[in-house]
Amino acid sequence: MAQVPQRFFDALAVRTWCGLSLEALGRAREEIDAINVYPVADGDTGTNLYLTVESAVAAVEAVFAAHAVDAGAREAGDGPSLPETVGAMAHGALIGARGNSGTILAQLLRGMAQVLTARGEAAHTDGRGLRLALRHAAESARQAVAHPVEGTVLTVASAAADAADGTEGDCAEVARAAYEGAGRALAETPGRLPVLRRAGVVDAGGRGLVTLLAALVETFTGSAPEPRAAVAPRRTPEPGAAVAPLVRVTHDAGAPEGGPAGEAPASEHTGGTTEGECAAEEDAGDGPAFEVIYLLEAEDAAVARLRQRLDALGDSLVVVGGDGLWNVHVHVDDAGAAVEAGVEAGRPYRIRITHFGHGDVHTTGGGRPPQERTQRAVVAVVPGEGLAGLYAEAGATTVLARPGEPPASGELVQAVRRAHAREVVLLPNDVELRHTAAAAAEQARTEGVRVALIPTRSAVQGIAALAVHEPGRRFDEDVVAMTSAAGATRYGEVAVAERQSWTTAGICQAGDVLGLVDGDVAVIGADVTAVAVTVLDRMLAAGGELVTLVLGDEAPETVAAHLEARVREAYLAVDTVVYRGGRQGAPLLIGVE
């Protein structure tokens, strides 16, 4: 369906562009993955660009949703400003950036946002403002890369800005000029980078950027531009050329001592990409052994020192961001040293370490055959590192959902791929993730995986489902048993209110302790333990045989012992089990089976 064209680049145009970009990358993802050969032929540039834009889209939609909630206090038609929206877009891309290509894309979007937010509270910008934004985006992305290489997305971005500078028209004309200039530069990338010429492909990251610029044209004209011949997929490689096989085995990495206070980094698995916008050896297999990525809270001066240290440790160094929050990406042989450098610079978190191995299923050539799929796996979203370990011990593939950072559908799809099974049971463990999980399940089915989505609303329901999981029985029978166990588990939560709000139990103030039963606020109090006892009593009033307590880092040390004593004294024949959930966002989760 044709889009309604936007005349100016305003908040609605930003929202439209982000949505169209995500749709276009979804269609082009596999093609872009297939031509990813430099500096590491790991075949996931398209996927990582998609995940980065998906994070940007979520941030933009959150801004619009917040304005919709406050609509009663606003004049009709009043929505988010352009600076507010592009700022959200850039921040979302920064915290969700995946791999080298996604990291550079995040800086491109940040560069645009810096120009557009500098215009104050202007409702929109015109063609001139868009030209300036594209120019600053290209320049800031190039500055973020330690050793820029021509024939990559950096070249394509510069060409887009050059072409835009050559027109004096409106936003539509500027966008079209940028798209056409980028397309011409993309077609020339094999001539600038020998590894691309040998493989017979254009640069994958540049191909992704052209896709985003095509979406920008559609934003302002209402229709997508005709694809250029230059952006066609794989071309004929030179005789004898082969893509070096490579596999990426991802390990979870927590911060070393002295890292983020109260936040053990990551338990986050990824197939992070290194599309090739930085200096690296052109022949896969000659470079460092690990890819290290993390978010970092640090001052500018500390980041400058960090750049120098990481540059000495490895290659493919990209550091993007600003205003105290950075995304760091580097290839090194000593992953521990790269993380320690981040600890010395500030507060690293969401650390992801990927080992470069051999035999990538995405590539062709003399690699080993793909590993046989297992028959069945469970993929679960969990709210804390402690629960991630518990679920992993039970055999599940986990996706970590940190407070305020719910996983995107692409991350769930990646987890399903990581599980490498013919059949997958998906446990979202959060009512707010039902649509995200459904989208991920649908995508996985198109890839030939049989997926059953069990609508678990809490991690304690997921624990109950895992307890009865039996991979040896028929898939349908296993799903029915797990669904039944989850449905028979009532779930409660003790949380702390962040702001004044209306609830089903009355008005709460910031700092009040809330007791929730099956998703609804049942009690408002001032003490975590007292509220927890009230919630537990209400849940057990309907009966139960087993109480599950999951303690967050913020829970009082004595709350578990107090609740266990309460169960022993007041409820005969009811057992209690206690787990440590880590930084899970709520002081306490309660399950009653």
Side-chain angles (χ1 to χ4, degrees), residues 490 517 533-544 547 566 570-571 574 592:
R490 301 190 70 194
V517 177
V533 169
T534 302
V535 170
L536 183 63
D537 286 341
R538 294 196 182 189
M539 295 177 71
L540 284 171
V547 172
R566 174 65 178 170
Y571 304 97
V574 176
V592 173

Side-chain angles (χ1 to χ4, degrees), residues 309-322:
R309 181 170 179 186
L310 292 180
D311 193 25
L313 287 175
D315 59 32
S316 292
L317 174 61
V318 187
V319 181
V320 304

Side-chain angles (χ1 to χ4, degrees), residues 265-289:
S267 276
E268 183 167 321
H269 308 265
T270 181
T273 189
T274 53
E275 178 274 337
E277 292 79 6
C278 312
E281 296 294 332
E282 291 187 3
D283 295 318
D286 293 340

Side-chain angles (χ1 to χ4, degrees), residues 379-383 391 397-401 407 412 426-430 433 459:
V379 172
V381 180
V382 291
Y391 272 73
T397 298
T398 61
V399 178
L400 193 61
L412 302 188
L426 183 56
L427 306 176
N429 291 338
D430 187 337
L433 290 177

Side-chain angles (χ1 to χ4, degrees), residues 135-153:
R135 170 57 62 193
H136 188 64
E139 292 174 350
S140 62
R142 189 170 288 269
Q143 292 168 3
V145 176
H147 302 285
V149 171
E150 297 305 329
T152 66
V153 67

Side-chain angles (χ1 to χ4, degrees), residues 32-376:
I32 298 173
D33 283 346
I35 63 174
N36 173 201
V37 298
Y38 174 81
V40 178
D42 53 355
D44 56 4
T45 289
T47 297
N48 284 290
L49 288 171
Y50 180 90
L51 292 175
T52 302
V53 173
E54 187 176 44
S55 182
V57 168
V60 170
E61 291 301 322
V63 169
F64 274 85
H67 277 261
V69 169
D70 295 339
R74 299 175 180 271
E75 296 180 2
D78 190 15
S81 66
L82 173 61
E84 185 179 7
T85 307
V86 294
M89 173 188 71
H91 180 75
L94 178 67
I95 66 173
R98 298 299 173 126
N100 206 4
S101 54
T103 305
I104 290 181
L105 174 59
Q107 188 65 9
L108 287 166
L109 297 179
R110 176 178 171 81
M112 293 184 68
Q114 287 176 319
V115 170
L116 298 173
T117 55
R119 300 172 65 87
E121 291 301 314
H124 64 264
T125 192
D126 54 12
R128 178 179 179 276
L130 183 57
R131 288 197 306 273
L132 293 173
L134 291 171
R135 170 57 62 193
H136 188 64
E139 292 174 350
S140 62
R142 189 170 288 269
Q143 292 168 3
V145 176
H147 302 285
V149 171
E150 297 305 329
T152 66
V153 67
L154 298 176
T155 305
V156 176
S158 294
D162 290 343
D165 284 342
T167 179
E168 296 295 329
D170 58 15
C171 287
E173 293 180 36
V174 170
R176 186 175 294 280
Y179 166 73
E180 293 178 350
R184 290 190 294 270
L186 179 64
E188 297 169 357
T189 55
R192 290 174 172 261
L193 204 54
V195 67
L196 300 179
R197 184 176 63 253
R198 291 197 297 269
V201 299
V202 295
D203 179 66
R207 171 68 175 89
L209 179 58
V210 170
T211 300
L212 266 66
L213 291 172
L216 188 62
V217 173
E218 185 175 358
T219 299
F220 294 118
T221 66
S223 59
E226 289 295 323
R228 294 179 52 88
V231 300
R234 183 178 292 271
R235 299 182 296 184
T236 303
E238 292 183 354
V243 180
L246 178 115
V247 99
R248 316 195 68 177
V249 182
T250 300
H251 303 275
D252 295 336
E257 291 184 12
E263 179 172 4
S267 276
E268 183 167 321
H269 308 265
T270 181
T273 189
T274 53
E275 178 274 337
E277 292 79 6
C278 312
E281 296 294 332
E282 291 187 3
D283 295 318
D286 293 340
F290 297 96
E291 177 187 56
V292 178
I293 308 173
Y294 49 80
L295 291 178
L296 176 70
E297 294 179 358
E299 298 298 326
D300 291 2
V303 171
R305 293 190 296 271
L306 174 67
R307 289 179 191 269
Q308 295 179 351
R309 181 170 179 186
L310 292 180
D311 193 25
L313 287 175
D315 59 32
S316 292
L317 174 61
V318 187
V319 181
V320 304
D323 300 323
L325 180 62
W326 309 83
N327 192 311
V328 179
H329 171 282
V330 68
H331 292 177
V332 292
D333 284 318
D334 189 344
V339 174
E340 289 172 4
V343 172
E344 292 178 5
R347 197 174 80 92
Y349 59 105
R350 292 186 70 173
I351 301 169
R352 298 190 294 275
I353 299 175
T354 302
H355 178 256
F356 300 129
H358 297 284
D360 192 353
V361 299
H362 294 295
T363 62
T364 60
R368 294 177 298 188
Q371 182 181 0
E372 181 68 19
R373 288 181 180 270
T374 58
Q375 182 59 33
R376 189 175 308 158

